[in-house]
Amino acid sequence: SRMIDEIVVWISSQPSTVVYLVLLVVAYLENVLPPIPGDLLLAFGGFLVAEHVLSATPLVLISTLGGAVGYMHMYYFGRRWGAKAIDHRLLAWVGTRRISRSLAWIRRYGLGMVYANRFISGLRSVIALASGMSRLAAGKTLFAATVSSLVWTILMVMAGYWLGTNWSLVEVGLQRYGLALALLIAIGATSVLLRRILTKNKASRGFRADSNR
């Protein structure tokens, strides 16, 4: 998009220290005020590593830190305000349906959702908020969020590094990945629903059989 192109041009003209700072802020903000093209900028950072403009280690560590801190910001907001959090004007974009879905996932999978959050584009902030509302243990949540952020950051930086001047193709890959993930989630949700219905029907038939004896 034009906005991303303008950001890339501006970043390219800045000293490395400023670039690191920008990527830190972006990694933080994409968890707090989405949508922000953090993944695409990480891939661009990987390209800059390939061009010897940035170093891989500080890029990964800084972006991981920003992502983890941003996650915990939303976690504490959800923990502090509970269900009232989604009524806040700054969180009007969340919506009750998305938060209800995330709360259900956390009840079912617990910290597993925190470990997976970076891989679920579009719901990262909502999962962070829901994990706070669910009052998951803060220390374990911070660890899980940091691991998730670290793994995802490494993948995005590697993608940008290997794609080189074609780093923007990461956006196409992420769109396809998002569709595939959405399909898998839909299949998983459907299978869980069907299993519950079948279990309930089986239990109901068993109850009627016992009553007729």
Side-chain angles (χ1 to χ4, degrees):
S1 69
R2 184 178 177 182
M3 181 187 73
I4 293 175
D5 291 340
E6 290 176 352
I7 292 174
V8 167
V9 170
W10 181 83
I11 288 178
S12 301
S13 65
Q14 302 303 311
S16 59
T17 304
V18 174
V19 177
Y20 287 131
L21 180 60
V22 168
L23 292 174
L24 172 67
V25 173
V26 167
Y28 166 80
L29 286 178
E30 73 165 336
N31 285 277
V32 180
L33 296 172
I36 291 178
D39 294 337
L40 201 55
L41 291 180
L42 270 178
F44 178 61
F47 164 67
L48 293 180
V49 171
E51 294 294 304
H52 305 290
V53 176
L54 300 179
S55 296
T57 300
L59 171 61
V60 169
L61 292 179
I62 286 171
S63 298
T64 298
L65 174 64
V69 172
Y71 185 99
M72 293 307 293
H73 180 122
M74 294 298 286
Y75 165 87
Y76 278 112
F77 196 93
R79 188 180 179 94
R80 169 67 177 81
W81 294 100
K84 295 180 180 179
I86 57 175
D87 295 327
H88 197 285
R89 59 186 179 85
L90 292 178
L91 295 175
W93 55 270
V94 173
T96 55
R97 184 177 179 181
R98 298 172 82 196
I99 196 68
S100 296
R101 182 168 52 179
S102 297
L103 285 169
W105 285 345
I106 288 176
R107 281 195 297 270
R108 182 173 179 81
Y109 301 110
L111 282 170
M113 287 306 302
V114 183
Y115 280 106
N117 87 90
R118 291 296 300 176
F119 297 83
I120 309 177
S121 180
L123 287 176
R124 295 166 179 171
S125 303
V126 186
I127 291 172
L129 192 65
S131 64
M133 293 170 66
S134 300
R135 305 189 74 82
L136 295 181
K140 292 180 179 179
T141 299
L142 173 59
F143 180 79
T146 302
V147 170
S148 183
S149 182
L150 175 62
V151 173
W152 184 257
T153 297
I154 291 173
L155 290 175
M156 289 298 99
V157 170
M158 287 177 62
Y161 182 92
W162 291 112
L163 286 171
T165 54
N166 295 315
W167 62 269
S168 59
L169 290 176
V170 167
E171 183 175 21
V172 177
L174 288 173
Q175 289 173 349
R176 292 176 179 173
Y177 163 78
L179 290 173
L181 183 61
L183 180 61
L184 287 174
I185 290 174
I187 292 173
T190 302
S191 65
V192 169
L193 180 61
L194 288 174
R195 189 159 57 244
R196 288 182 177 177
I197 293 173
L198 291 173
T199 302
K200 185 179 292 185
N201 288 340
K202 186 176 181 180
S204 178
R205 287 196 300 269
F207 176 77
R208 287 197 298 270
D210 291 339
S211 299
N212 292 330
R213 290 177 181 175

